[in-house]
Amino acid sequence: MTRAAEVTEAAADLIVVECAEHDNIEIDAALWLSGDHHLVLNPEIDGRDILRANFRRGVLRLQATSYVGVIPLNDRVIVRVKPRVPIANLTRMVIETGHDVLALSAFREYSSRGSADDWAMDVYADALLDYLDELLDAGMMRSYERRDDEGCFPHGRIDFTRTMQRFAARGVPNKATYSWFERTIDIPANRCIKSAMQAVHAHLSKSKAKPRKGDRAKITRLAGQLLAFEEVEEDTSYQFLDDSLVLGLTPLPEARAYYRSALDLSIVILRGVGIALELGGTDVRLSSLLIDTNKLFENFVRVSLSKSAARQGWPMEVLDGNSEGRVDLYDVPDPLPSPLGKPINALASLDPGKAQPDVVLRGLDGSFRLIAEVKNTVHGKNARFDDVLPERDEVEQAVTYALRYGLDFTVLIHPWFKGTKGLVYVGRVRSVDVYDYRLDLSTEDRTDAALADMAATMAGLAGLAIGQPPTSA
């Protein structure tokens, strides 16, 4: 059996299971449990919170988490986890936030769409480097090109007609016109790949506000790979994009089939086309990209509010409470409390802990105007009523942070999936009012309006008067 037949037969035996994020997955336990009841998982996902095993109604099941994409569970099962939001919105969220993705060694095909941004180029760079390693290990493709010359020491094939015309007819007996075929790597396919390598090198070398970790190592690796293409001419006019073999209209030699993925990716890079995250497509083959929608939703909300603040000139900053917007959770009072007659030392004097809301709005005077916890949870999905209370632990965390920041209200931000959209008043916990904002990302065409409404609501809660003129601060 040939290698291609083995791969085809193996693919035919794979079971593909589809589900939505956070859903239970109906897979026979025999496909992911060993005889001694150990999980049989792809090592790349083992130990990560990508899939969870749990009991539901006495049955051991797998459950998807916040990771969406194509997940090779093991060599027998592939799980395709779909996001709750439309794919176009997911792609937009990833692009606008520059959100990191988890790339697995398993490959899948993607569609290309729109313009390539920094995020797409970073993904392309990683993939091209890997393809080039494979290509150089297997060997570069060559072709035979005809060379013509004339002289006293012919080799190859003598062109008798031209020799008679140019030399014999003029009485020159010791010269001949001849031709030969020479193997060369300077062919359209290699010119295409070299141009893509140069485009990726330019992308990695350009100055960025937040350079990606490891770019310098990638540049060094790419420079080494470019040495193998020294004899390939640069074609700045991209005439190779008219070549039928480069475009896939003519099949590659079977022994050089590994060129196809590198060529398809090179074409996408050179045309400046972005990547769509649909579960399907045939434009380019890349590592399976998994996206943690929990972190993505949090980043997208914060980035969207930051853009609105900058565009409308809010007199306040939008901060990430996980970094620059955080404060100490505990104070150490002076004097220390003495409930048993003598002062008790505070653990907080050694470690004050951190209060770190996902979103912090801080005025230009340094006062805190609003804190929000962003939660990509699906509580109440199966409840009888459309509107249910937020999760208890989410409220407790948000109320604690509000007290620490000296605010009499707190905000939770969730993705909407049913019930009331926009701002909902939950109730009061002693002195702290709790609000829940449900952001509707369920349709692509209403996303801009939903983000604008969220920004206006947060600004209003933070004390920014409706219609307040922008500031230049």
Side-chain angles (χ1 to χ4, degrees), residues 29-333:
L31 295 173
W32 50 276
L33 277 180
S34 65
D36 55 357
H37 300 96
H38 285 88
L39 296 178
V40 181
L41 299 179
N42 174 355
E44 289 185 298
I45 67 171
D46 193 11
R48 298 177 183 268
D49 190 27
I50 294 176
L51 297 171
R52 296 174 185 167
N54 57 42
F55 277 98
R56 183 179 175 84
R57 296 178 182 174
V59 178
L60 183 62
R61 301 187 181 187
L62 282 178
Q63 182 184 26
T65 62
S66 59
Y67 284 88
V68 299
V70 177
I71 305 170
L73 181 65
N74 51 42
D75 58 3
R76 292 178 289 178
V77 183
I78 290 177
V79 180
R80 291 158 51 104
V81 183
K82 298 179 180 179
R84 294 194 301 267
V85 303
I87 290 291
N89 275 357
L90 183 71
T91 303
R92 170 181 175 173
M93 292 164 72
V94 170
I95 290 172
E96 291 194 9
T97 61
H99 185 72
D100 288 337
V101 297
L102 174 62
L104 303 179
S105 59
F107 285 86
R108 53 165 285 214
E109 293 182 324
Y110 290 85
S111 298
S112 56
R113 178 187 299 165
S115 300
D117 47 47
D118 283 349
W119 175 80
M121 285 299 294
D122 287 334
V123 173
Y124 293 159
D126 291 338
L128 187 62
L129 288 168
D130 290 339
Y131 282 143
L132 286 168
D133 283 342
E134 177 188 356
L135 186 152
L136 294 176
D137 284 343
M140 294 180 66
M141 187 160 59
R142 290 171 165 78
S143 70
Y144 285 91
E145 290 194 359
R146 176 172 170 149
R147 300 284 189 261
D148 295 290
D149 203 353
E150 56 188 35
C152 300
F153 302 99
H155 60 87
R157 189 171 189 174
I158 296 178
D159 187 335
F160 288 100
T161 300
R162 293 187 63 197
T163 297
M164 294 293 292
Q165 292 173 345
R166 288 185 53 78
F167 300 114
R170 297 187 313 187
V172 181
N174 61 340
K175 285 190 176 183
T177 298
Y178 55 94
S179 63
W180 71 99
F181 286 89
E182 191 174 276
R183 291 188 74 198
T184 178
I185 60 173
D186 187 21
I187 59 175
N190 289 332
R191 291 179 200 143
C192 176
I193 294 172
K194 182 174 183 177
S195 294
M197 294 167 72
Q198 291 170 330
V200 167
H201 190 278
H203 165 73
L204 294 174
S205 302
K206 73 178 183 181
S207 59
K208 302 178 185 178
K210 293 184 177 180
R212 276 174 54 95
K213 183 179 180 181
D215 274 0
R216 185 173 299 177
K218 293 176 187 177
I219 291 172
T220 301
R221 182 178 168 193
L222 184 59
Q225 293 169 337
L226 275 167
L227 290 175
F229 286 76
E230 274 188 318
E231 297 178 15
V232 179
E233 290 186 5
E234 294 184 23
D235 182 357
T236 56
S237 61
Y238 292 178
Q239 293 183 22
F240 48 75
L241 290 180
D242 296 325
D243 185 83
S244 61
L245 187 144
V246 169
L247 296 175
L249 303 176
T250 300
L252 287 161
E254 185 175 347
R256 303 296 185 186
Y258 53 85
Y259 255 77
R260 186 72 268 154
S261 296
L263 284 171
D264 288 344
L265 178 56
S266 296
I267 291 170
V268 170
I269 291 171
L270 295 173
R271 288 178 172 167
V273 182
I275 179 175
L277 296 171
E278 281 90 346
L279 299 182
T282 58
D283 294 332
V284 62
R285 189 171 174 82
L286 301 170
S287 298
S288 183
L289 305 176
L290 298 189
I291 300 167
D292 184 353
T293 55
N294 283 353
K295 294 185 180 297
L296 176 61
F297 182 66
E298 175 189 326
N299 290 340
F300 185 60
V301 166
R302 189 165 46 244
V303 167
S304 298
L305 290 174
S306 295
K307 288 182 176 180
S308 293
R311 186 168 54 249
Q312 299 171 17
W314 291 2
M316 61 183 95
E317 303 172 282
V318 179
L319 304 177
D320 181 355
N322 299 296
S323 51
E324 71 269 26
R326 66 185 182 182
V327 299
D328 290 344
L329 178 60
Y330 297 100
D331 289 326
V332 178

Side-chain angles (χ1 to χ4, degrees), residues 5-26:
E6 290 175 355
V7 172
T8 303
E9 182 176 332
D13 292 337
L14 281 174
I15 296 173
V16 179
V17 181
E18 298 196 10
C19 69
E21 56 180 300
H22 297 290
D23 274 359
N24 287 301
I25 309 170
E26 299 296 333

